[in-house]
């Protein structure tokens, strides 16, 4: 009996919640919490829900502009139904619906990296959580910051402004705050500002029980500059008499060496790797048009891009100028392709995941080093970071 893919009503979604609990081996609260804000899809065989998942239409920042994206979450297949490519069929159906609603990108978190790579996704960055002794964050930060407790609409604007400095963060929807507060009832948000000035840092923390007692968990760490970051880390360090450790969640710290540079002693941080966030470009031409680009660039590159079905490659011309770009079918007469990109490589490049021509060459991009440098210069001005886990 074949499978039908349908939008889930409340009854089907409740049935799917029970299935997900059995498939994951634990409750999945976000199925209920995020359901009202999501496109809910299930696979039904013989009147019974056998798989499902949700999709959230949430813009993501790339190049300083929000790009319509489908964030895929809470998907699973009943254990007895696995092995028949049902997951791939369901993912394609979930993506198709959100693409019809305007999404040009699709993002997900998954432990099945190889599986979704075959479907066109790629991981723009490694993802870690970091745990450090609270005392290691004690430092002599200048006491010029005013610290204010409580989230406000103004802080949402601060987060959006800082999120635009990276490739990947959500342009957080109106329901984001209530969702996080429900998931973490003791979540507390603090604003950091120079006296008499607008906030330049936003920190959100909660506490959780550990075998040794309790620890602080950092969910948000948005800092406009070094002084703001120093003040925020020093604030965490002041908790050393009450909690022995601070954990920066898998999304709770920007990439780079910020933490290591600020630790008072070397070797105190413990890293735990997590499965990465994966990106897929659903509509390359539209995604290029909507993204932001460095204003100083004026370039033209001929690219061979993998076809959506993976059967071959098609030639396109990438034209960049005045902070805008276009990707048009066809090449330049008498000129061969400068670079050939698979769907995953295009997604990685789009997110700024290639940090140097040498790194791109090791990852499988073929081309002259000078040409790769030109290609990477278009997107590597911002690092990839998805600051929200869903």
């Amino acid at each position: 009996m074949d499978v039908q893919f349908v939008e889930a009503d409340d009854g089907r979604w409740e049935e799917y919640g029970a299935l997900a609990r059995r498939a994951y081996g634990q409750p999945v609260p976000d199925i209920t919490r995020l359901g009202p804000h999501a496109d809910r899809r299930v696979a039904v065989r013989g009147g019974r829900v056998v798989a499902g998942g949700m999709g959230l239409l949430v813009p993501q920042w790339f190049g300083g502009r929000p790009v319509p994206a489908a964030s895929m979450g809470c998907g699973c297949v009943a254990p007895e139904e696995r092995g028949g490519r049902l997951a791939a069929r369901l993912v394609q159906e979930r993506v198709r619906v959100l693409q019809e609603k305007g999404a040009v990108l699709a993002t997900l978190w998954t432990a099945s990296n190889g599986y979704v790579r075959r479907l066109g996704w790629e991981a723009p960055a490694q993802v870690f959580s970091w745990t450090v002794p609270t005392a290691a964050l004690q430092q002599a930060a200048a006491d010029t910051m005013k610290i204010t407790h409580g989230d406000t609409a103004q802080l949402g604007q601060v987060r959006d402004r800082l999120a635009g400095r990276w490739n990947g963060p959500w342009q957080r929807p109106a329901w984001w705050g209530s969702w996080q507060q429900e998931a973490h009832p003791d979540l507390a948000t603090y604003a950091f500002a120079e006296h008499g000035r607008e906030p330049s840092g936003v920190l959100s923390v909660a506490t959780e029980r550990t075998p040794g007692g309790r620890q602080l968990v950092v969910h948000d760490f948005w800092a406009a500059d070094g002084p703001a970051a120093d003040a925020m880390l020093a604030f965490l360090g002041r908790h050393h008499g009450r909690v022995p450790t601070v954990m920066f969640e898998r999304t709770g710290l920007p990439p780079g060496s910020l933490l290591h540079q600020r630790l008072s002693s070397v070797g105190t941080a413990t890293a735990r790797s997590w499965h990465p966030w994966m990106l897929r470009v659903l509509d390359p031409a539209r995604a290029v048009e909507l993204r932001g680009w460095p204003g100083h660039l004026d370039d033209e590159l001929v690219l061979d891009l993998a076809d959506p079905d993976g059967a071959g490659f098609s030639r396109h011309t990438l034209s960049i100028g005045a902070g805008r770009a276009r990707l048009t079918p066809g090449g330049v007469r008498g000129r061969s392709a400068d670079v050939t990109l698979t769907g995953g490589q295009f997604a990685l490049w789009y997110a700024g995941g290639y940090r140097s021509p040498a790194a791109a060459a090791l990852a499988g991009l073929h081309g002259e080093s000078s040409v790769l440098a030109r290609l990477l210069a278009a997107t590597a001005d911002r690092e990839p970071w998805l600051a929200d886990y869903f």
Side-chain angles (χ1 to χ4, degrees):
M1 190 178 299
D2 200 11
V3 173
Q4 292 181 312
F5 301 102
V6 299
E7 184 175 5
D9 58 19
D10 290 344
R12 291 288 195 197
W13 198 240
E14 185 176 350
E15 185 181 351
Y16 175 66
L19 164 64
R21 178 169 186 159
R22 176 165 62 90
Y24 279 100
Q26 63 185 29
V28 188
D30 279 345
I31 288 178
T32 300
R33 292 181 184 136
L34 292 177
H37 312 294
D39 180 85
R40 309 179 302 186
R41 298 281 150 177
V42 293
V44 180
R45 189 197 302 275
R48 184 172 61 92
V49 172
V50 295
M54 65 171 60
L56 301 160
L57 196 59
V58 180
Q60 290 179 260
W61 293 96
F62 285 92
R65 292 196 180 103
V67 180
S71 295
M72 319 302 292
C74 299
C76 72
V77 176
E80 65 274 16
E81 294 280 345
R82 294 171 185 166
R85 292 192 56 79
L86 178 56
R89 293 172 61 194
L90 179 61
V91 166
Q92 297 289 22
E93 174 65 16
R94 291 164 61 199
V95 168
R96 178 191 64 79
V97 172
L98 291 170
Q99 188 172 2
E100 290 175 353
K101 295 181 179 181
V104 299
L105 308 173
T107 297
L108 51 77
W109 296 86
T110 180
S112 304
N113 303 335
Y115 179 74
V116 298
R117 278 193 176 98
R118 293 193 293 273
L119 300 179
W121 269 270
E122 190 50 84
Q126 294 178 296
V127 175
F128 298 95
S129 67
W130 296 93
T131 302
V132 300
T134 312
L137 297 176
Q138 289 181 276
Q139 51 191 296
D143 188 20
T144 59
M145 289 281 180
K146 178 182 178 182
I147 305 173
T148 306
H149 169 249
D151 207 346
T152 63
Q154 181 192 30
L155 293 190
Q157 297 171 4
V158 173
R159 278 189 292 253
D160 262 0
R161 186 177 70 249
L162 297 179
R165 297 182 177 186
W166 307 87
N167 289 327
W170 274 7
Q171 186 180 46
R172 291 180 176 174
W175 48 260
W176 188 92
S178 59
W179 162 49
Q180 285 295 289
Q181 202 67 58
E182 185 179 355
H184 311 287
D186 63 341
L187 189 70
T189 298
Y190 300 90
F192 292 74
E194 296 280 354
H195 291 285
R197 307 187 71 173
E198 296 295 313
S200 57
V202 182
L203 180 71
S204 292
V205 297
T207 59
E208 71 174 16
R209 294 190 179 278
T210 67
R214 300 185 71 81
Q215 71 175 356
L216 280 179
V217 180
V218 177
H219 291 270
D220 265 327
F221 193 102
W222 298 97
D225 49 35
D230 285 343
M232 292 157 66
L233 292 171
F235 172 79
L236 295 170
R238 293 175 197 166
H239 293 76
H240 69 93
R242 185 171 62 87
V243 290
T245 56
V246 175
M247 184 182 78
F248 296 87
E249 258 285 15
R250 60 185 75 96
T251 59
L253 196 67
S257 54
L258 167 69
L259 181 63
H260 287 98
Q261 292 171 350
R262 301 313 201 274
L263 290 175
S264 60
S265 57
V266 179
T268 56
T270 301
R272 180 181 178 186
S273 63
W274 292 92
H275 47 270
W277 64 282
M278 309 286 284
L279 178 69
R280 176 179 166 190
V281 180
L282 306 176
D283 185 339
R286 187 70 175 139
V288 164
E289 179 185 355
L290 294 175
R291 190 192 193 283
W293 301 88
H296 67 279
L297 287 184
D298 185 2
D299 205 352
E300 182 180 83
L301 292 163
V302 178
L303 309 177
D304 278 347
L305 303 182
D307 296 327
D309 58 8
F313 290 82
S314 298
R315 186 150 296 175
H316 293 73
T317 299
L318 174 68
S319 304
I320 306 171
R324 297 284 181 177
R326 290 186 305 129
L327 184 69
T328 55
V332 177
R333 178 172 296 191
R335 180 172 160 186
S336 60
D338 295 305
V339 184
T340 299
L341 296 159
T342 66
Q345 289 169 338
F346 187 87
L348 192 58
W349 165 76
Y350 186 90
Y354 296 117
R355 306 311 300 170
S356 70
L362 285 174
L365 285 188
H366 300 290
E368 296 291 334
S369 180
S370 60
V371 174
L372 292 180
R374 288 164 52 199
L375 180 69
L376 270 55
T379 60
D381 60 323
R382 288 169 169 84
E383 288 189 70
W385 178 34
L386 181 54
D388 295 305
Y389 188 85
F390 52 89

